[in-house]
Amino acid sequence: MIRFENVGLRYGIESEVLRDISFTLTPGSFHFMTGASGAGKSSLLKLMYLAHRPSRGLITLFGRDMARVTRPELPELRRQIGVVFQDFALLDHLSALDNVALPLRMAGASDADMVEHCTEILRWVGLGSHLHAKPSTLSGGQQQRVAIARSVINRPRLLLADEPTGNVDDGIGMRLLYLFEELHKLGTTVVIATHNEALIRRFNHPHLHLDNGRLHVVPAQPARGG
Amino acid sequence: MALFFLSRPSDLPLARDPSARFLVWITALMVFLATLALAGAMMVSEMAQRWDSGLAGGLTVQIAPLPGGAAAPLDERVEAALTVLRSSPGVKTARALTSADTARLLEPWLGPEAADPLLPMPRLIDVTTDGPVDVPGLAQHLKSAAPGAILDDHAVWLADLRSFTGAVHLAALGLVGLIGGAGVMSVIFSVRAGLAIHRHVVELLHLMGATDRYIARQFERHVVGLSLRGGMVGLALALATLAGVHHASRGLRASLLPDLTLAPWQWAALALVPLAAALLALATARWTVLRRLESLP
Ligand SMILES: Nc1ncnc2c1ncn2[C@@H]1O[C@H](COP(=O)(O)OP(=O)(O)OP(=O)(O)O)[C@@H](O)[C@H]1O
Ligand SMILES: [Mg+2]
């Protein structure tokens, strides 16, 4: 699914933010990404959702060597990646429903299909009564849930979430994690960057741990007894 | 078509940009000017053609009444001139205009008094040709046969007229081109402003897998809607202006001005100006957006 080999990333002329990153995510895997603030979690996710090109190293995504993918091929690849941005990145002038419909609209879905699907998923994240609300009238946690609904609406092959539970209480956080688990069971590869220790402990998955620009893969803990 | 474009939801809130209203009015102004310039070009070439077909292949002989009665009476001199003309090579017909004809020709300038028999009127002979005429030779001939006869060869001032109307025509078309260029620049400016204002949204759409064409379409739709709206306003104003000028020119007693009328196909062509403006705007918007998006990874 994803393979990084000795990938490095630097912004401008500064020293590398990510160094010698090597890992492989198998299709259908579920990983948390951890690390201190500024460790490079968002940067690594940006490499994965093709927002940046690496300064060096090799990235293979969906079996394609990204160095050889031409520009016109990128949109098709990007549409198979669902992203929950750390700042949500909702469109302020669109309703919650229209925001969630965005990926479907890009894929050319019919209006009726879009409304039905989007309503369903917004109900699922507990926003059934806010379908036509503009993001600016929603709380931080509600906006986050819209962002999550949008990231999963077109059943991406790869789901990348940057702090998707940062603004919600543990109850809703748990519920959102279950949504990701559902997708995961349907075969989506999931990577979630989070600081939330409770969630990490509750859902037993391997970690990609970033420390000072380097990556360590921490395998899932063996199931605790009792 | 405008409604179709405007009713679709847009991922970019372009309609609220300050440049939106600017683009409507600038297009209105440009379509207004371009339509008038085009109409002007059409009228000028129409006019030139009419003069051309009316005067080309023709000569006019003017025989002035000579004071003092030293020469033969006017009618005799006219007859003499006609005889000379009809025997000259290249002359097809030669017809003397009656005093009434002459008075009618002069009426626009002189008013009904032109028919006053006391007014010393020259007599005119209308000559059509069907071959080359030795103009200076003929003039000489006429002068000796009928004193006071002046041969007016239209070719000289017809050529002047042709080059003049040609220049006016070119200038009008050049003006249309310049207006089009200014329109393209306004669209580029407006689209660039839109791209800058909505940079985050554009980048987001790009990251979510929108193709460059998808993003460009948002701008195209916006710009086409605006320029069609502005274009219709501009066209309406231009047609009203033309109708006003036409009306005013009809009211002139002396019809010095040529008929300011256009053929139906010319009116149709003018009605297409806003459409052409919208197409130009569409192509410009697409090109501008696609070029800008190339800088995104
Ligand atoms: N666009 C950028 N230009 C320059 N430097 C950047 C840019 N984005 C991030 N950085 C730098 O890269 C480093 C890693 O940032 P990143 O956002 O990836 O951290 P993070 O692990 O996501 O942090 P947090 O947990 O606070 O979200 C930081 O030192 C940051 O200053
Ligand atoms: Mg971050």
Side-chain angles (χ1 to χ4, degrees):
Chain A
M1 174 62 59
I2 297 193
R3 191 179 156 88
F4 275 52
E5 286 170 68
N6 299 313
V7 169
L9 174 70
R10 69 168 81 236
Y11 291 106
I13 53 162
E14 303 188 13
S15 62
E16 286 192 322
V17 171
L18 297 172
R19 284 188 286 270
D20 296 320
I21 305 284
S22 297
F23 64 90
T24 303
L25 302 185
T26 53
S29 60
F30 194 125
H31 287 80
F32 285 118
M33 189 187 289
T34 55
S37 180
K41 300 184 293 297
S42 296
S43 302
L44 181 52
L45 287 174
K46 279 178 187 163
L47 284 177
M48 292 195 203
Y49 59 74
L50 312 176
H52 290 309
R53 297 240 176 197
S55 316
R56 62 188 174 89
L58 211 71
I59 297 180
T60 313
L61 181 64
F62 305 134
R64 308 281 313 269
D65 174 358
M66 292 315 297
R68 286 166 200 238
V69 170
T70 61
R71 198 170 178 283
E73 294 176 296
L74 285 170
E76 174 68 32
L77 290 175
R78 287 190 174 114
R79 280 202 288 270
Q80 301 177 41
I81 306 172
V83 185
V84 184
F85 298 90
Q86 190 162 12
D87 59 357
F88 322 140
L90 298 176
L91 304 190
D92 289 329
H93 68 291
L94 294 181
S95 66
L97 195 75
D98 282 331
N99 261 289
V100 174
L102 211 50
L104 298 179
R105 204 151 62 227
M106 281 177 196
S110 77
D111 283 2
D113 279 357
M114 278 195 273
V115 171
E116 192 192 322
H117 279 101
C118 299
T119 306
E120 191 182 327
I121 193 118
L122 279 169
R123 288 224 176 90
W124 215 96
V125 296
L127 291 174
S129 53
H130 293 85
L131 295 179
H132 302 289
K134 294 277 161 69
S136 56
T137 67
L138 296 173
S139 74
Q142 288 170 330
Q143 292 182 30
Q144 195 155 36
R145 284 180 271 160
V146 175
I148 289 170
R150 184 179 67 187
S151 72
V152 299
I153 188 72
N154 62 344
R155 291 252 192 98
R157 284 170 78 183
L158 173 64
L159 183 83
L160 305 171
D162 202 347
E163 301 279 356
T165 59
N167 287 276
V168 295
D169 60 51
D170 282 353
I172 290 178
M174 212 64 92
R175 193 179 163 82
L176 293 176
L177 254 289
Y178 278 117
L179 178 63
F180 293 137
E181 287 276 333
E182 288 298 317
L183 270 166
H184 169 56
K185 281 181 194 141
L186 290 171
T188 299
T189 308
V190 180
V191 178
I192 297 176
T194 183
H195 291 291
N196 192 324
E197 291 293 333
L199 285 180
I200 294 173
R201 252 178 282 123
R202 175 75 182 71
F203 297 86
N204 193 17
H205 293 296
H207 300 197
L208 302 170
H209 184 74
L210 276 168
D211 184 14
N212 201 14
R214 294 184 185 275
L215 183 89
H216 312 277
V217 181
V218 183
Q221 302 300 312
R224 280 167 296 163
Chain B
M1 193 156 84
L3 284 178
F4 165 75
F5 271 115
L6 295 174
S7 64
R8 297 277 305 271
S10 173
D11 298 344
L12 290 162
L14 294 168
R16 281 187 240 146
D17 286 359
S19 65
R21 211 178 314 154
F22 157 80
L23 201 58
V24 172
W25 287 112
I26 203 90
T27 322
L29 179 67
M30 287 179 175
V31 167
F32 172 73
L33 293 176
T35 307
L36 287 188
L38 260 185
M42 287 170 173
M43 282 172 185
V44 164
S45 63
E46 191 87 335
M47 197 162 78
Q49 233 164 42
R50 232 175 304 152
W51 281 338
D52 229 20
S53 55
L55 296 180
L59 300 167
T60 306
V61 177
Q62 196 188 103
I63 298 167
L66 295 176
L74 196 53
D75 284 342
E76 275 175 34
R77 282 186 286 138
V78 169
E79 277 312 314
L82 283 173
T83 313
V84 169
L85 284 167
R86 284 175 183 147
S87 62
S88 298
V91 171
K92 194 172 161 206
T93 63
R95 185 177 69 87
L97 270 61
T98 63
S99 320
D101 287 339
T102 315
R104 213 174 31 249
L105 280 177
L106 290 175
E107 192 183 313
W109 281 270
L110 302 180
E113 293 80 26
D116 189 340
L118 290 179
L119 217 60
M121 284 291 196
R123 293 287 304 274
L124 296 174
I125 299 173
D126 188 19
V127 182
T128 61
T129 58
D130 56 2
V133 175
D134 171 20
V135 174
L138 182 59
Q140 205 54 50
H141 235 97
L142 280 169
K143 212 164 226 157
S144 51
I150 301 162
L151 178 63
D152 179 6
D153 175 11
H154 304 152
V156 174
W157 71 275
L158 203 60
D160 283 352
L161 195 69
R162 269 199 208 113
S163 68
F164 171 69
T165 54
V168 170
H169 195 235
L170 263 185
L173 292 183
L175 196 60
V176 172
L178 279 180
I179 293 168
V184 165
M185 283 192 278
S186 327
V187 171
I188 291 178
F189 167 75
S190 163
V191 166
R192 285 209 182 145
L195 281 167
I197 293 171
H198 305 292
R199 202 183 81 237
H200 292 294
V201 180
V202 168
E203 281 172 7
L204 177 70
L205 294 175
H206 178 74
L207 283 182
M208 289 175 72
T211 57
D212 292 354
R213 285 285 290 111
Y214 179 91
I215 296 172
R217 237 180 347 255
Q218 310 263 333
F219 282 91
E220 288 163 24
R221 225 180 263 160
H222 171 68
V223 160
V224 165
L226 295 181
S227 48
L228 273 182
R229 253 191 288 170
M232 287 304 167
V233 172
L235 180 68
L237 289 177
L239 293 184
T241 306
L242 286 175
V245 168
H246 181 55
H247 189 76
S249 78
R250 261 215 298 226
L252 286 177
R253 218 167 112 257
S255 51
L256 293 174
L257 286 171
D259 232 12
L260 296 180
T261 52
L262 292 172
W265 74 265
Q266 289 172 318
W267 287 112
L270 292 183
L272 290 180
V273 171
L275 221 60
L279 282 178
L280 192 63
L282 185 145
T284 307
R286 178 178 304 179
W287 177 80
T288 310
V289 174
L290 291 182
R291 255 191 40 163
R292 264 298 150 99
L293 289 181
E294 274 169 15
S295 65
L296 294 181

